[in-house]
Amino acid sequence: MRRRLLAVLIVLMGAAVLLLSVPLADTLARSRTEHLLLQRRADAARFADLADRVRTRADRAELSAEIDRYAELYGAGVLVVDSAGDPLARAGAGTAAALAASAVDVRRQALTGRPTAELPTIRPWGPSTVVLAEPVGHDERVSGAVVLAVPTDAARRDVTVRSALIGVGAIAAFTTAALVAAGITRWLLRPVRDLDRAVEGLAAGSLQARAASHTGPPELRRLREHFNSMAEAVAESIGRQRDFVADASHQLRNPLATLVLQLENIEPHLRPGPGPAEFSRALDEAERLGDLLDGLLALARVESGTAELADQDLSSAVRERVTAWGPVFRTSGIDLAADVGDGLRGRTLPDAVGRVLDALLDNAAKFVPSGGRVEVAAALRDGRVVVRVADDGPGVSEEQLPTLLRRFVRGAQHQNTPGSGLGLAIADEIATLSGGQLSVGHNTPRGLAVELSLPAGAPG
């Protein structure tokens, strides 16, 4: 957004500078052309006056001497003709061709009594010579014409210098305006960027994220205040909810433990018959309820955690958890293999990878039958560290796959397996708080594959 806004401002300022500088340069060029015309018309009028007084050979000699000095001084070509267009006097080296090629129309105009009223506008690139004419005589008594071929070197040099100054001024003005626009853009968008970061943090689960910028327009400052108020209310509401879950789970554990103890004390007094079987089922349900409360407490601790992200050695963390779970899998008759890349690092919550792997490997140990195989792989992929746990167990149906990360969700075929249905939900929450993502899918040719994707850190 900042680049787009700055681009629009720069385009508008560039157009404004062009619209001001180009007409100004054109006006200066026309002014210099008009100045040259007035100067040379005055000279042509003086020569026309001398030509009008030519009566004798001496007068013609005086006119020739005058135009020779003028041509030598200004490098111009001078041609004086009579009413029939025949030359009376001529001066200036190499002017014959220029006068013959360029002066026909202006000479005809002068012989009708009309002097040259305008010249082609002089630009830095030309024309190199301009031609003007002045009639000899007054009113209807036109006896000839004076034609000047005037070089424009000095005028073009003045126009070039003035155009260059205008260009330098335009560049300086544009640069200054661009710097001011960049500052204004930063001032306008700084609170927007700060608010965007706060929204991103809040969406990622960081309830402490707030918009801290105090600059910008009043409307954006008020928006920041309203957002912070909303974030406070949301954080307070979620905090109360989590505290309630944690407190309720904790308070229920004591009476539940007492209930289990009392049930165990009743067992010796049961008579033979259906009673012992019913007692066993009741005790199993009580223990399952205990597991559920433990899971709720663990989830509440994860969601309310305030730990900061830190640089972690993910390769070592994965290898450590695979080694720790090795005896469990060997006891269950399950082959556990690992392929872990070296030097994998990431910025995550403390021991995030270990806690997620514990949940994934615990599920694999529960649901993969004896003789099965579980593979753990960790590698760098597209700038992210991906930890993959795949098994060749029974897996789940396509309909159940999207629900595995939800809380308390368990497959119909796994209802009697110990657990609370919160393992993957807790792992997903840990991954999200670490800036990563947990995804589940089918393994090939069969089984389940779970991938933990985390942002990669700087190499160690």
Side-chain angles (χ1 to χ4, degrees), residues 283-316:
L283 189 59
D284 289 342
E285 290 298 322
E287 291 176 350
R288 181 178 177 183
L289 183 57
D291 292 338
L292 179 60
L293 292 177
D294 290 339
L296 287 174
L297 278 173
L299 184 60
R301 292 191 190 100
V302 169
E303 291 180 336
S304 61
T306 57
E308 297 291 335
L309 300 182
D311 192 51
Q312 308 285 332
D313 185 351
L314 304 186
S315 296
S316 298

Side-chain angles (χ1 to χ4, degrees), residues 50-189:
L50 290 175
D52 191 40
R53 294 201 302 268
V54 171
R55 298 290 184 269
T56 64
R57 186 182 300 274
D59 294 337
R60 180 172 295 184
E62 180 185 359
L63 174 63
S64 297
E66 187 71 22
I67 62 176
D68 285 338
R69 287 195 298 271
Y70 182 83
E72 182 180 358
L73 179 62
Y74 293 103
V78 183
L79 176 66
V80 181
V81 297
D82 58 16
S83 59
D86 297 325
L88 295 177
R90 176 179 294 163
T95 59
L99 290 172
S102 307
V104 176
D105 292 336
V106 295
R107 185 173 60 190
R108 288 176 181 173
Q109 178 181 335
L111 290 176
T112 61
R114 293 177 297 162
T116 301
E118 62 179 12
L119 295 175
T121 303
I122 296 174
R123 310 289 184 186
W125 52 87
S128 59
T129 303
V130 293
V131 178
L132 59 92
E134 185 74 16
V136 177
H138 303 284
D139 300 328
E140 290 82 9
R141 296 182 292 105
V142 177
S143 58
V146 177
V147 182
L148 297 182
V150 181
T152 61
D153 296 341
R156 283 190 290 123
R157 186 165 54 251
D158 292 344
V159 172
T160 301
V161 171
R162 294 175 183 179
S163 299
L165 291 176
I166 292 174
V168 171
I171 293 174
F174 178 77
T175 303
T176 303
L179 293 176
V180 173
I184 292 176
T185 303
R186 283 195 300 270
W187 177 74
L188 284 173
L189 296 183

Side-chain angles (χ1 to χ4, degrees), residues 391-393 442-447:
D391 63 64
D392 58 358
H442 295 295
N443 190 27
T444 303
R446 63 189 180 89

Side-chain angles (χ1 to χ4, degrees), residues 388-442:
R388 187 173 189 268
V389 178
D391 63 64
D392 58 358
V396 296
S397 64
E398 190 69 34
E399 295 78 14
Q400 290 178 323
L401 196 62
T403 67
L404 292 181
L405 298 182
R406 297 179 187 174
R407 300 173 185 181
F408 308 111
V409 173
R410 309 188 74 187
Q413 68 275 29
H414 301 141
Q415 291 297 322
N416 295 324
T417 304
S420 61
L422 289 172
L424 288 180
I426 295 174
D428 183 51
E429 188 68 25
I430 294 174
T432 301
L433 294 177
S434 297
Q437 182 181 8
L438 194 69
S439 59
V440 294
H442 295 295

Side-chain angles (χ1 to χ4, degrees), residues 11-29 162-163 165-167 169-171 173-174 177:
V11 169
L12 292 177
M13 290 184 298
V17 169
L18 285 177
L19 291 175
L20 290 174
S21 59
V22 172
L24 179 59
D26 184 71
T27 300
L28 290 177
R162 294 175 183 179
S163 299
L165 291 176
I166 292 174
I171 293 174
F174 178 77

Side-chain angles (χ1 to χ4, degrees), residues 217-227:
E219 295 81 1
L220 292 179
R221 291 200 295 270
R222 286 196 298 270
L223 178 61
R224 175 189 63 82
E225 294 173 359
H226 295 330
F227 171 80

